[in-house]
Structure formats: structure tokens, C-alpha cells
Amino acid sequence: MKLKTIREAKKLKGARVLLRVDFNVPLKDGKVVDDSRIRASLPTIEFLRKAGAKIILLSHLGRPKGKIVDELRLDPVARKLGEILKCKIKKTDDCVGSEVEKIVEKLEEGDVLLLENTRFHPEEKENNSEFVKQLAKLGDLFVNDAFGVAHRAHASSFGIAEFLPAAAGFLLEKETSELARVFENPAKPLVLVLGGAKIDTKIGVLKKFSELANTILLGGGIANTFLAAEGFEVGESLREPDKADLAREILNLANSHGCEFVLPEDVVCVDSNEELSNQPKTFAFRADAIPPNMKILDIGETTARRFSEIIKKAGMVVWNGPVGLFEIKLFEAGTKAIAQACAETSATTILGGGDTIAALKKFKIPAKKFTHISTGGGAMLEFLEGQELPGIQILKN
Ligand code: ADP
Ligand code: MG
């Protein structure tokens, strides 16, 4: 099934276009500290402006839990977007209601209006049909560019598409086609690098790649769970003991598909009684010789070198999740090595995850060094599991 896109949309001139974007950006002291997500939707916004549409932007921001939270208002986002587009962005204090309708009525061709945080209404996440109707009556056409919430069937990202003609924006289209490369005869070897704190959201990807990939490289807290499941002492490291059976199941699955599953062979630890803020002494151990009082906080040098070599010889690399506590300099080396190997390899590189992207920023590695950096964390993972995401599914013919 093919995705309907704005390129095929007819009669954009003068049309009220409800454009769902993912402007869930980090704020500090009322200012946007990272505008990447805003910039990611510029091609769609500019296309619609040139076509003479009246653009009505919808987004969520943070987790207001269905209530008005002043710190999560979208005004700083409107200011930032105005700076980038060099034009005045109109902004309302709600996303539905008669006041909003009046402002929408006065919009002219090429105008850009940003509605208030959709998650101030509990009905947003519930995909409440009355709320959806209130949103839908503001527009003639719905365009979804919010890949970051494509895995959620919420009112503003999914529900509206049932009430209005709907199409994908350029960002959603690009994310979909770039990530789909994993399933479309990828250059081999296909390598998955997976890190991060917890296994929960990554089980599906691990299972899928156990079938698809030639190699899986594991680091981070997740790797500790696997090391422990394999009978290694991991001391006081972050791990999920109740996931040991699952870890063994995944190892068996990979084995039965001929996928090489690589766990860290050495690690960087600290004494678990040390305060991390006090620049504690670090210790390097082989993974089969970790003392019980220790806490693993990064992959070791040998592991980092081995992972890097595998990445450099790959045909395609998919990376999600830092392989150590990279936020603290003492434990950033592993993640930095992975990031550099991904930047240097000739393989196609597909990266994503909020903390993974934060790590790239910290190491000052420019985005152009990678084939594709996904704007979706959870959405990317679910897409790579091979799941149909509701927000995308509903835009297909
Ligand atoms: P992403 O947002 O890229 O998907 P996750 O949210 O899954 O990544 O995980 C990132 C977090 O995992 C980071 O905050 C990092 O510090 C943490 N982490 C990685 N390795 C370890 C470890 N060995 N011990 C504790 N935390 C870890
Ligand atoms: Mg994260």
C-alpha cells in the first residue's frame, strides 16, 4: 500500500490545512534549546506556504497529563518558528473552541497558526471522537508530519485522518522510506547496535533483528541483563533480573537464524558505593571477572574496538541506545567510539532515540555523517519491529 503525500494533494491554494507536527522540543527558561524537530518539518511547512495554504499547526509538548501546564505552552516554539521562517506566527491559547475557530476564519493564504499543546486535553490521548470532530472542523485537509507519534492512535495524529482527507508530509514520508530500507534487501552485513537502560521497548526490535540481521552488538544496561542471563556476575549493575528468560529466548532465536550476537567482553566499572558525582576511580574488567561490589557503566576498550571494526565492515548499521552512561565523561568512551565508527563507516547508517541523538550532539558529530537520523524514538523502534504504525497506516490508500 502506498502512502498518500501532500505532493498529490489537490487544491491547496486557500485550503485550511491542519498540519500535525512533532514540536515536542526541549525547553529551558522559556526558550527552545534544540530546534532540530522544528527544522525537520520546514520542508512541509514551506511547501504548503508556497502553495498558498492556510497552515494550522498542531503539536503536543511534554507530558501535561490532560491539564493546562503553563511551562508546556507552545509560545516559545511559535517564537522560534517565527525566527526560522522570518514571519509572524499566530498562536492560540487552546487547540479547539470558538475563539480558535474565529482566528482560523480570519487566516489568509500563506499564514501560519500554531494551536496550543494538544495534550492539555485528556481527550487527545483517548482519541475522543467529539474532540476529534472539534479539531477536524478547523481544516479542509489533514497532513501528518509527526513521525515521533506515528505509533500512537491519538486524536491529533490519527483520529482526524478519519474525518478529513489526509496525507503525509515530507518528514513522515522520508522517515518511512529511509527506515523501510532495513526490510528492502539491505546491504549486508546488516548490523544492529543496541544499548540503553531498559529492555522493555526494545524486545520487539531484538526479536526482529535476530531474524534479519547478520550481527547484533549489545551494550548499555540491556547488555547487563544478557550477561547475567548467561551466568556472568554483574555485581550492582543496572539490570532486569525478571527478563533473564526473555534474554535467553532472544539469544536462542538469534542462534537459530545464524545471527551473531555479541555481548561486551570487557567493561568499565565503578565501586557501587561511590558517588558518581565525585569523579570515582574506574576499573576495567573482563566480562567474566566482575567483582560483586562493582557497577558496569560502559563497555570496555576491547569491546569498543571490536564493535567499531564490525560497524566499519557493515553494509547497513542500525543504532539505537547509548552503550554506557555517556552523560558522565568517565563513561562516554564506548558510546563515542560507536558514534565515530558510525560516522566513518561506508555503510548505510540509520540512527535514532532521544538519548542517542543527545550523545551525537555531545560529541559534536554532525548529522550529515549519517545516512538517516530518525526523529522518532519509540516510533522508530516500533517501525523497525515490522509493525504497522497507526498514524502511517491510516494515510495509506
Ligand atoms: P534512547 O533514548 O537513545 O532510545 P535509552 O532511553 O534506551 O536510549 O537509554 C539511554 C540511557 O541509558 C542513557 O541515559 C544512558 O546513560 C543509560 N545507560 C546506558 N548504559 C548504561 C549502564 N551501563 N548503566 C546505567 N545506565 C546506562
Ligand atoms: Mg531515552
Side-chain angles (χ1 to χ4, degrees):
M1 271 192 294
K2 217 184 142 289
L3 200 60
K4 278 184 265 184
T5 73
I6 40 174
R7 238 176 263 116
E8 294 113 54
K10 292 178 189 88
K11 283 194 275 185
L12 287 172
K13 195 171 160 56
R16 299 169 303 155
V17 177
L18 273 167
L19 172 58
R20 177 56 158 102
V21 285
D22 177 6
F23 284 174
N24 184 26
V25 292
L27 298 178
K28 204 176 171 217
D29 305 327
K31 284 206 173 97
V32 176
V33 283
D34 179 355
D35 62 8
S36 320
R37 282 192 170 149
I38 299 176
R39 289 184 186 276
S41 272
L42 287 183
T44 303
I45 296 171
E46 277 167 348
F47 176 88
L48 290 171
R49 277 185 87 199
K50 277 205 190 102
K54 302 169 182 174
I55 304 165
I56 305 154
L57 297 167
L58 285 161
S59 182
H60 74 285
L61 176 65
R63 297 194 170 109
K65 307 212 167 107
K67 290 195 198 80
I68 295 174
V69 176
D70 281 328
E71 293 73 39
L72 295 176
R73 288 193 180 275
L74 284 165
D75 299 72
V77 177
R79 277 195 293 278
K80 189 75 196 178
L81 180 63
E83 269 168 49
I84 297 172
L85 286 176
K86 297 188 180 66
C87 74
K88 172 106 186 73
I89 306 295
K90 297 187 170 72
K91 160 80 185 30
T92 52
D93 290 333
D94 200 347
C95 62
V96 289
S98 56
E99 281 305 307
V100 176
E101 286 162 26
K102 271 184 226 153
I103 292 167
V104 167
E105 223 159 87
K106 288 190 199 122
L107 288 179
E108 290 174 20
E109 290 178 12
D111 277 355
V112 184
L113 167 69
L114 177 60
L115 303 184
E116 188 55 278
N117 194 341
T118 53
R119 287 196 190 164
F120 285 177
H121 293 267
E123 295 88 352
E124 159 73 339
K125 284 193 172 191
E126 294 158 5
N127 191 25
N128 172 294
S129 63
E130 284 312 309
F131 181 66
V132 170
K133 280 181 208 159
Q134 281 197 297
L135 285 171
K137 77 180 186 193
L138 301 173
D140 305 304
L141 171 70
F142 172 62
V143 176
N144 190 1
D145 218 16
F147 179 72
V149 288
H151 57 318
R152 307 270 183 239
H154 294 168
S156 68
S157 58
F158 174 84
I160 306 181
E162 296 185 303
F163 286 86
L164 287 178
F170 295 124
L171 174 63
L172 195 78
E173 184 189 26
K174 179 162 165 255
E175 289 275 11
T176 310
S177 62
E178 290 289 337
L179 297 179
R181 293 164 74 153
V182 170
F183 305 111
E184 291 160 0
N185 197 19
K188 297 287 172 83
L190 172 60
V191 177
L192 172 70
V193 188
L194 204 69
K198 286 193 174 174
I199 195 168
D200 271 358
T201 55
K202 318 215 177 182
I203 297 165
V205 170
L206 274 174
K207 287 188 173 167
K208 187 75 184 176
F209 276 72
S210 293
E211 297 168 15
L212 286 181
N214 302 93
T215 309
I216 295 179
L217 308 174
L218 218 57
I222 297 178
N224 303 341
T225 297
F226 278 76
L227 286 170
E230 289 273 79
F232 293 96
E233 171 70 66
V234 297
E236 299 296 313
S237 307
L238 173 70
R239 68 168 170 130
E240 296 161 278
D242 57 322
K243 301 281 157 58
D245 285 338
L246 179 68
R248 280 187 288 267
E249 185 197 323
I250 291 169
L251 287 168
N252 286 334
L253 187 67
N255 194 28
S256 69
H257 283 92
C259 169
E260 184 193 14
F261 206 103
V262 192
L263 296 176
E265 60 192 273
D266 63 339
V267 290
V268 177
C269 299
V270 293
D271 188 313
S272 58
N273 296 315
E274 293 279 358
E275 274 300 328
L276 292 182
S277 51
N278 291 344
Q279 296 285 315
K281 184 168 160 41
T282 61
F283 301 89
F285 292 108
R286 278 178 38 170
D288 59 1
I290 302 168
N293 60 321
M294 287 287 158
K295 198 191 231 172
I296 307 172
L297 291 173
D298 197 5
I299 55 172
E301 243 177 79
T302 309
T303 303
R305 211 175 311 123
R306 178 159 179 219
F307 283 13
S308 300
E309 272 157 27
I310 293 171
I311 289 167
K312 285 184 189 162
K313 288 185 190 138
M316 182 183 281
V317 182
V318 176
W319 176 29
N320 167 259
V323 293
L325 190 77
F326 77 96
E327 293 92 339
I328 297 181
K329 198 163 174 60
L330 288 171
F331 316 108
E332 69 171 25
T335 304
K336 202 172 191 173
I338 303 292
Q340 272 160 353
C342 286
E344 285 163 23
T345 181
S346 56
T348 301
T349 45
I350 296 175
L351 277 55
D355 294 290
T356 308
I357 294 171
L360 297 180
K361 290 238 154 74
K362 186 171 184 229
F363 306 143
K364 298 197 166 60
I365 305 181
K368 64 170 193 286
K369 294 277 185 188
F370 310 99
T371 313
H372 182 64
I373 299 181
S374 179
T375 53
M380 175 181 99
L381 291 171
E382 288 195 25
F383 190 101
L384 293 175
E385 283 172 26
Q387 290 209 41
E388 286 285 2
L389 310 189
I392 295 174
Q393 184 61 22
I394 199 152
L395 305 178
K396 290 187 174 172
N397 297 322

